């Protein structure tokens, strides 16, 4: 029997950080395609506006909100914006408040690496900690504080990485440390808040088709060749494949999945 899931998120409000590019944009598009109104967040306005345009062109609803997730006030404002902005701000909506934050995807992240640890500038270490760990903590805290007041609770998916909890590649010590922290933070937070009706899980992508997985000086063709030679699947993941895992964990079908870390890496960490 063929089943279709195109309405899994109808009427739900979804917040996606880092949604102006790469995996975050694919996640935002996928939620919108399944009926959600999506708040897309990041620091730069232009890429967010482009994500909104892509969603609206496909008949979906989205709103861009600029925020730096490493700042507590921005993370809190982001959640308030998702909950409080009148529907009239969303094209073809009425005038009532959105009212709830049903799903949040904490995807914003940075990679500063490529060199051995001894050559890593302290500023790069601090930036990755600020965005990848403190940013997830601040967003998570603001989202949980809202979701636990809602009768329907909420679902949160944090985007980590195979680097850290699953593999330990050279040239990525700081990044790997931050991503291992995301996985650990998420699992403990999941235990803390499942009884509040807030369900938290992790998706850990391996190499995915965005500029972040390109090594210094590498072209996309070089990357494809590297993947053919080294990954069990023989290719890197598409952003849509990572998005599919995020949507599954956020959906009602995963209602009893709590604190899991779903690896999407073509077998790269086996
Ligand atoms: N691509 C891969 O191979 C891969 C593998 C494993 C895990 N990941 C993870 O997947 C996530 C998405 O990565 P990607 O490959 O899609 O990279 P990307 O295209 O660079 O996306 C990262 C997004 O995060 C946003 N961002 C960065 N710092 C931010 C901040 N302080 N506040 C708010 N937004 C911020 C960026 O927008 P602004 O600059 O406008 O803020 C950007 O849109 C990251 O967490 C990454 O670590 C990627």
């Amino acid at each position: 029997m063929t089943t279709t899931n195109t309405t899994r998120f109808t009427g739900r409000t979804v917040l996606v950080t880092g949604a102006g590019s790469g995996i975050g944009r694919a996640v935002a598009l996928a939620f919108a395609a399944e009926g959600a109104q999506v708040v897309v967040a990041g620091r730069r306005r232009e890429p967010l506006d482009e994500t909104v345009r892509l969603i609206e062109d496909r008949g979906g609803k989205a709103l861009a909100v600029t925020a730096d997730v490493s700042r507590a006030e921005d993370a809190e404002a982001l959640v308030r914006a998702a909950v409080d902005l009148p529907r009239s701000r969303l094209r073809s909506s009425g005038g009532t408040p959105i009212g709830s934050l049903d799903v949040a995807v904490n995807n914003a992240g940075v990679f500063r690496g490529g060199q051995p640890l001894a050559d890593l500038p302290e500023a790069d270490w601090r930036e990755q900690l600020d965005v990848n760990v403190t940013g997830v903590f601040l967003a998570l805290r603001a989202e949980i504080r809202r979701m636990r007041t809602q009768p329907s609770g909420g679902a949160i998916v944090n985007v980590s990485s195979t680097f850290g909890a699953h593999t330990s590649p050279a040239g990525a010590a700081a990044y790997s440390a931050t991503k291992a922290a995301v996985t650990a933070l998420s699992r403990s937070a999941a235990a803390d808040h499942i009884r509040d009706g807030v369900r938290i899980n992790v998706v850990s992508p391996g190499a995915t088709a965005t500029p972040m997985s390109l090594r210094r000086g590498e072209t996309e063709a070089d990357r494809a060749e590297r993947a053919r030679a080294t990954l069990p699947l023989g290719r890197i993941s598409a952003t849509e494949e990572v998005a599919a895992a995020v949507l599954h964990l956020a959906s009602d079908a995963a209602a009893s999945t709590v604190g899991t870390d779903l690896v999407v890496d073509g077998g790269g960490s086996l």
Side-chain angles (χ1 to χ4, degrees):
M1 190 178 78
T2 310
T3 55
T4 162
N5 287 322
T6 53
T7 56
R8 283 186 295 180
F9 299 97
T10 297
R12 302 199 189 172
T13 299
V14 176
L15 167 62
V16 184
T17 69
S21 60
I23 292 170
R25 175 175 282 170
V27 167
L29 286 166
F31 274 113
E34 296 208 25
Q37 45 207 357
V38 188
V39 175
V40 298
R43 290 167 303 182
R44 290 166 300 142
R45 182 90 216 177
E46 253 180 45
L48 297 176
D49 285 343
E50 176 61 10
T51 300
V52 169
R53 191 190 65 74
L54 289 168
I55 288 173
E56 289 180 345
D57 282 355
R58 291 163 169 77
K61 294 177 188 168
L63 184 75
V65 179
T66 52
D68 179 343
V69 294
S70 68
R71 297 162 53 96
E73 60 272 30
D74 281 21
E76 286 155 17
L78 195 49
V79 171
R80 271 200 309 278
V83 172
D84 294 338
L85 270 182
R87 284 180 187 274
S88 56
R89 290 287 301 277
L90 292 162
R91 193 169 290 173
S92 66
S93 301
T96 49
I98 294 170
S100 64
L101 173 63
D102 302 301
V103 175
V105 181
N106 297 312
N107 161 81
V110 291
F111 175 76
R112 303 282 180 259
Q115 68 280 73
L117 180 71
D119 301 326
L120 184 75
E122 185 179 334
D124 289 1
W125 164 261
R126 290 191 184 280
E127 184 191 4
Q128 291 176 97
L129 276 178
D130 270 0
V131 179
N132 298 358
V133 184
T134 306
V136 170
F137 159 68
L138 292 171
L140 198 53
R141 190 178 64 172
E143 292 152 4
I144 293 167
R145 284 176 175 173
R146 172 65 205 185
M147 286 176 172
R148 69 182 176 184
T149 69
Q150 301 174 173
S152 54
I156 299 174
V157 181
N158 292 329
V159 178
S160 184
S161 171
T162 51
F163 283 20
H166 306 280
T167 60
S168 306
Y175 177 81
S176 297
T178 66
K179 291 301 189 174
V182 169
T183 301
L185 173 74
S186 305
R187 287 172 59 78
S188 283
D192 283 340
H193 293 291
I194 188 59
R195 286 179 187 273
D196 294 329
V198 182
R199 201 165 53 77
I200 302 167
N201 286 287
V202 176
V203 167
S204 286
T208 306
T210 81
M212 195 183 280
S213 63
L214 287 171
R215 292 185 179 166
R216 201 162 290 153
E218 194 178 51
T219 64
E220 288 187 6
D222 297 335
R223 182 179 61 190
E225 188 44 48
R226 174 164 56 90
R228 251 192 304 279
T230 60
L231 288 179
L233 182 64
R235 65 169 178 82
I236 62 172
S237 302
T239 55
E240 292 78 8
E241 292 173 310
V242 178
V246 170
L247 265 70
H248 168 67
L249 290 177
S251 75
D252 294 344
S256 70
T257 304
V258 178
T260 200
D261 180 359
L262 178 51
V263 173
V264 182
D265 73 342
S269 56
L270 293 175

